[in-house]
Amino acid sequence: MNRIFTRPASHLRQIRRTLTHHSTNATTTDLDPADELQPLGILWRYQILDPNSDIVNLWNHVFLITCIISLFIDPLYFYLPYVGGEACMSNDNDASLTITYFRTLIDLFYLLHMLMKFRTAFVAPSSRVFGRGELVMDAREIAIRYLKTDFIVDLTATLPLPQIVIWLIIPATKSHSNNTLALIVLIQYVPRLFVIFPLNNRIIKTTGFIAKTAWAGAAYNLLLFMLASHVLGAVWYLASIGRQHSCWKEGCRDEFHSVPPCYLDFLDCNSLGSLEREYWLNSTIVLSRCDAKNDESDFKFGMFADAFTSEVASSRLIEKYLYCLWWGLRNLSSYGQNLTTSTYIGETTFCISLCIGGLILFARLIGNMQTYLESMTVRVEEWRIMRRDTEEWMRHRQLPPELQERVRRFNQYKWLATRGVNEESILRSLPLDLRREIQRHLCLNLVRRVPFFSQMDDQLLDAICERLFSSLSTDGSYIVREGDPVNEMLFIIRGQLESSTTNGGRTGFFNSITLRPGDFCGEELLTWALVPNSTLNLPSSTRTVRTLTEVEAFALRAEDLKFFAFQFKRLHSKKLQHAFRYYSHQWRTWGACYLQTAWRRYRRKKLAKELALRESFHFTSIPGQESYNSDEGDSDGVDEISSMDSPNNAQHLGATILASKFAANTRRGAIHKVQVADTASSSLKMPKLFKPDEPDFSEEV
């Protein structure tokens, strides 16, 4: 966020009084519209900028690019002189106009930078005890400090000196040796370098880097090397022109007293077409003496001969620039080893400087580019070393091929998902509030995909997101096995898992379901956490969970769930508990088994009742017997038998008693079967697939 500081309140009150006084004595046309737009009556010229604000940081980057462009533009002045004819030189006025135009625009950026420095706060050196220090926001103190430190250097870098030389001094002196222009440009090049290096350090101090990516950093260092080659090629071209002009000037002086005489004005291409110059050209030996292609010439051009043998000096600007840039790159990267020099002191000094500078710059370029490029591949190299160590360890331990393949697949999947970055260590290094916001941004939308979590409020979801951690699994991996302690609850984001149970290994029992994105497993842990007086022992898993595909999920540890259950009483609400039961596959399996058991018990009871009714109907239909009710005991039967005097009734007495005993035994057998069925149904409640013991759950089936 951009920060703008102002003067203290006493200064602001004085400014308001001044503005009020002027507003009462002036007309509306005297007021500045920009002043009316300032909040609280604070003028823009009284605003102080924070050196670490976004606007100052953006300006520093823009001005850095501008400075690099200016360092490329200034050496272009060296390409203005050219050989325009036989023994004459001139300046490229069209190129001069274009270069001057861009140079003037760049100078405006330097001027804006100076004005901005007058309004940028600084840190008091005496306050740098702890933290960033105290900012000085008084404009007078800022101006005094700037005038004492960087003002002279910035002013020297801002002055339009090359424009003055190219448009005023050279036309006045009618000189095309360009020694004055070269001297001015080189002198101003030094303060511009002094501007760019502190600016570079200030950007690094504020943001920590110049380029955000490794490729940009490598390109930045390569650009600086190209800049050095560009300057070297431009200096070589100007020195070549100067060497040629020196040869012509020396030969012209030797022929000054000859007939026809040689005048220095003949070396200017403006004298082309004059009769005296044409007469001099027909008789002079200056052309043959100063010809770089003439091996018999006593004037040695040395390393500057290429500018004339390749006709660079008489080519167009773009052709000269590219050739000189190539010359600078070739000799700077080879430290000038291929150069052939003469005994001219300036030439040998130039070659010595080229060799030393090329060695330093090339070594720096290679070192910086290696650093930036290695930063791109450091994670890849670490992963490669880890994979190599893993392969050696697996071969040393003689792991089976299938286990080795699973390890390789997991390492590959982890690399594709994280690129070797340890996210937990990065998050732990951040402040708590920032870490919470990042976790919310990363996890909240994914957590809300889980239907159980969609029932919770934002505060509880923020707390859950803060403690979630990523979990990656390859296909065929076992998350948890039946009977193992459950130490985390898993919420699936991508992939599929198989959740199965055998009810503790019971014969003939198997239940299997597929978990998809939005589902969760390990719900025994939540039931354990909701119990007020739960033991320290973790609950045992009632299911075996195995991945069917590559799975990405979030996990909650047992201690975190216990913390949520203790800290947020909303987890104990009926709404969340019913939502948990609805989406829990453990509860769904338990409910299915409960309904199945109840249905079987109902069918058995109905079958026993129907059997009893059929048997009762069978005995009541015996000939000679009106009715029989086994529920009324034997007294009724005895009364009926005693009241009968017929010999036939006495004959059927034994059969009736036997039938009564058989019916009683049958009923007792049916009751026993029902009791056995009830016992069997109670055994189907499956203690391993338990219904949670929390009281809120017990009566709501």
Side-chain angles (χ1 to χ4, degrees):
M1 183 178 181
N2 297 341
R3 287 170 284 183
I4 299 178
F5 298 102
T6 61
R7 286 189 174 187
S10 60
H11 294 275
L12 298 181
R13 286 193 294 269
Q14 182 179 359
I15 293 171
R16 293 191 186 98
R17 287 196 298 269
T18 304
L19 292 175
T20 305
H21 174 72
H22 286 291
S23 63
T24 56
N25 297 328
T27 61
T28 56
T29 57
D30 296 331
L31 295 178
D32 188 2
D35 298 344
E36 298 177 358
L37 298 177
Q38 297 299 324
L40 300 178
I42 303 174
L43 299 179
W44 65 269
R45 56 180 173 269
Y46 293 105
Q47 294 177 352
I48 305 299
L49 299 174
D50 182 2
N52 295 324
S53 62
D54 293 340
I55 187 172
V56 174
N57 187 30
L58 177 61
W59 170 255
N60 288 336
H61 282 83
V62 172
F63 187 64
L64 177 64
I65 297 174
T66 305
C67 290
I68 295 176
I69 294 175
S70 70
L71 294 179
F72 270 97
I73 289 178
D74 286 352
L76 293 178
Y77 282 108
F78 296 170
Y79 295 103
L80 295 181
Y82 67 96
V83 176
E86 294 179 332
C88 76
M89 292 184 181
S90 183
N91 283 329
D92 191 347
N93 293 327
D94 294 337
S96 176
L97 181 62
T98 304
I99 296 171
T100 303
Y101 173 76
F102 286 106
R103 165 67 193 237
T104 305
L105 291 179
I106 295 298
D107 291 342
L108 293 178
F109 279 88
Y110 277 89
L111 181 60
L112 290 176
H113 184 66
M114 290 182 62
L115 296 177
M116 198 165 185
K117 276 188 148 183
F118 276 108
R119 313 308 304 171
T120 304
F122 67 95
V123 179
S126 59
S127 64
R128 294 175 180 173
V129 179
F130 182 77
R132 57 173 291 186
E134 181 182 356
L135 288 176
V136 177
M137 298 174 289
D138 188 16
R140 184 174 179 274
E141 295 184 10
I142 294 173
I144 293 175
R145 178 180 179 272
Y146 179 50
L147 291 174
K148 290 182 178 180
T149 54
D150 300 334
F151 178 75
I152 300 299
V153 176
D154 292 344
L155 181 62
T156 307
T158 306
L159 292 176
L161 299 180
Q163 294 94 311
I164 296 174
V165 173
I166 199 69
W167 292 109
L168 297 178
I169 298 179
I170 291 180
T173 59
K174 296 182 179 180
S175 173
H176 298 286
S177 62
N178 271 24
N179 293 330
T180 305
L181 178 62
L183 182 63
I184 292 298
V185 171
L186 290 177
I187 289 176
Q188 198 173 27
Y189 215 77
V190 175
R192 293 208 166 188
L193 287 176
F194 277 107
V195 169
I196 195 173
F197 288 125
L199 181 64
N200 187 79
N201 295 332
R202 193 177 303 117
I203 293 175
I204 294 177
K205 183 179 179 181
T206 303
T207 61
F209 48 81
I210 289 292
K212 293 183 179 180
T213 62
W215 281 112
Y220 176 72
N221 283 274
L222 182 60
L223 182 64
L224 295 180
F225 188 79
M226 294 284 292
L227 174 61
S229 303
H230 164 63
V231 174
L232 181 64
V235 172
W236 171 78
Y237 175 79
L238 185 64
S240 301
I241 293 293
R243 189 68 170 154
Q244 179 73 74
H245 188 271
S246 298
C247 181
W248 286 345
K249 186 176 180 181
E250 181 180 343
C252 188
R253 286 176 179 175
D254 294 340
E255 296 181 356
F256 180 74
H257 299 287
S258 63
V259 179
C262 178
Y263 300 100
L264 293 180
D265 293 340
F266 291 168
L267 303 180
D268 188 357
C269 289
N270 293 328
S271 63
L272 290 176
S274 64
L275 296 177
E276 293 181 359
R277 190 177 188 280
E278 293 295 332
Y279 183 63
W280 170 74
L281 286 177
N282 293 331
S283 60
T284 184
I285 61 172
V286 173
L287 297 181
S288 60
R289 179 188 176 189
C290 298
D291 188 3
K293 300 178 181 179
N294 187 7
D295 297 334
E296 298 178 357
S297 174
D298 58 347
F299 190 90
K300 302 301 181 184
F301 284 89
M303 67 176 186
F304 303 117
D306 289 345
F308 307 102
T309 56
S310 301
E311 298 182 354
V312 178
S314 58
S315 302
R316 295 181 301 170
L317 178 63
I318 185 64
E319 296 173 350
K320 289 189 291 186
Y321 171 73
L322 292 178
Y323 184 90
C324 295
L325 179 62
W326 171 82
W327 190 93
L329 280 172
R330 181 188 64 178
N331 292 282
L332 196 62
S333 58
S334 63
Y335 320 131
Q337 296 179 6
N338 298 324
L339 293 177
T340 302
T341 61
S342 63
T343 57
Y344 178 55
I345 296 178
E347 184 179 354
T348 54
T349 304
F350 182 80
C351 290
I352 292 172
S353 302
L354 188 151
C355 182
I356 297 175
L359 180 62
I360 296 174
L361 292 176
F362 193 71
R364 181 176 178 82
L365 171 68
I366 295 300
N368 289 340
M369 292 195 68
Q370 183 179 5
T371 301
Y372 278 106
L373 295 178
E374 282 182 353
S375 65
M376 296 175 53
T377 59
V378 60
R379 296 293 181 187
V380 180
E381 185 65 18
E382 290 178 355
W383 177 73
R384 188 187 64 82
I385 294 175
M386 184 272 295
R387 187 175 61 176
R388 183 195 62 189
D389 294 342
T390 304
E391 292 289 340
E392 292 180 356
W393 174 78
M394 290 190 298
R395 286 195 299 267
H396 176 68
R397 294 301 181 184
Q398 298 181 357
L399 295 182
E402 58 273 10
L403 289 181
Q404 294 186 22
E405 184 60 27
R406 289 181 60 185
V407 171
R408 295 189 191 101
R409 282 193 285 112
F410 175 77
N411 289 335
Q412 183 70 21
Y413 180 56
K414 186 176 180 180
W415 167 256
L416 293 176
T418 63
R419 290 296 177 183
V421 177
N422 190 351
E423 297 178 352
E424 293 187 7
S425 63
I426 295 176
L427 290 174
R428 282 196 300 267
S429 63
L430 299 176
L432 179 61
D433 181 65
L434 184 57
R435 183 166 66 244
R436 185 183 297 112
E437 291 295 329
I438 293 175
Q439 287 284 78
R440 176 185 175 86
H441 171 73
L442 294 176
C443 305
L444 185 60
N445 293 333
L446 296 176
V447 167
R448 280 178 173 167
R449 293 183 186 177
V450 181
F452 173 56
F453 282 157
S454 63
Q455 307 293 331
M456 300 181 182
D457 57 3
D458 291 340
Q459 185 179 5
L460 186 54
L461 286 178
D462 287 343
I464 291 176
C465 290
E466 185 181 351
R467 288 167 173 81
L468 286 175
F469 66 94
S470 178
S471 176
L472 303 175
S473 303
T474 56
D475 57 319
S477 302
Y478 283 90
I479 305 297
V480 66
R481 298 178 186 269
E482 187 175 357
D484 292 346
V486 182
N487 55 11
E488 64 184 21
M489 195 173 178
L490 208 64
F491 303 93
I492 305 169
I493 303 302
R494 278 179 289 272
Q496 295 181 0
L497 297 91
E498 180 190 32
S499 177
S500 60
T501 181
T502 60
N503 190 23
R506 188 160 66 93
T507 304
F509 185 92
F510 182 79
N511 174 262
S512 176
I513 54 176
T514 300
L515 303 180
R516 306 180 186 276
D519 295 334
F520 54 90
C521 61
E523 55 265 40
E524 300 92 345
L525 202 60
L526 184 59
T527 305
W528 167 81
L530 291 176
V531 175
N533 298 321
S534 60
T535 61
L536 296 178
N537 296 329
L538 296 175
S540 299
S541 176
T542 60
R543 310 185 71 86
T544 297
V545 181
R546 185 177 65 90
T547 59
L548 299 176
T549 61
E550 294 176 343
V551 174
E552 295 183 25
F554 285 122
L556 269 177
R557 298 183 179 91
E559 56 269 18
D560 295 330
L561 279 172
K562 196 67 177 177
F563 169 78
F564 294 145
F566 178 77
Q567 201 73 16
F568 298 93
K569 300 304 180 183
R570 282 163 290 183
L571 279 177
H572 298 267
S573 66
K574 290 283 186 180
K575 181 180 178 181
L576 288 182
Q577 290 178 4
H578 282 295
F580 170 72
R581 289 193 301 173
Y582 179 78
Y583 293 109
S584 171
H585 291 284
Q586 178 195 359
W587 270 84
R588 291 181 179 183
T589 304
W590 179 88
C593 293
Y594 182 85
L595 294 176
Q596 189 179 32
T597 302
W599 174 252
R600 288 177 180 176
R601 182 172 55 188
Y602 168 75
R603 290 295 303 270
R604 286 187 177 127
K605 286 184 178 180
K606 183 178 180 181
L607 180 62
K609 185 176 181 181
E610 291 178 354
L611 181 61
L613 290 176
R614 289 178 182 178
E615 291 175 350
S616 175
F617 177 76
H618 174 74
F619 287 115
T620 53
S621 62
I622 296 177
Q625 186 173 351
E626 298 296 334
S627 64
Y628 179 76
N629 189 354
S630 59
D631 295 334
E632 296 180 359
D634 296 335
S635 58
D636 296 337
V638 173
D639 293 339
E640 291 179 2
I641 293 173
S642 61
S643 63
M644 294 179 184
D645 296 331
S646 173
N648 293 331
N649 291 337
Q651 184 179 4
H652 292 287
L653 178 61
T656 303
I657 294 174
L658 291 176
S660 177
K661 290 181 178 181
F662 177 76
N665 292 334
T666 303
R667 182 173 179 79
R668 283 195 297 269
I671 294 174
H672 178 69
K673 289 181 179 180
V674 171
Q675 292 176 350
V676 171
D678 291 340
T679 304
S681 65
S682 62
S683 66
L684 288 177
K685 291 183 179 179
M686 294 178 296
K688 291 296 180 182
L689 259 169
F690 65 94
K691 181 182 179 182
D693 296 331
E694 187 175 343
D696 293 341
F697 287 64
S698 59
E699 298 298 331
E700 301 177 10
V701 180

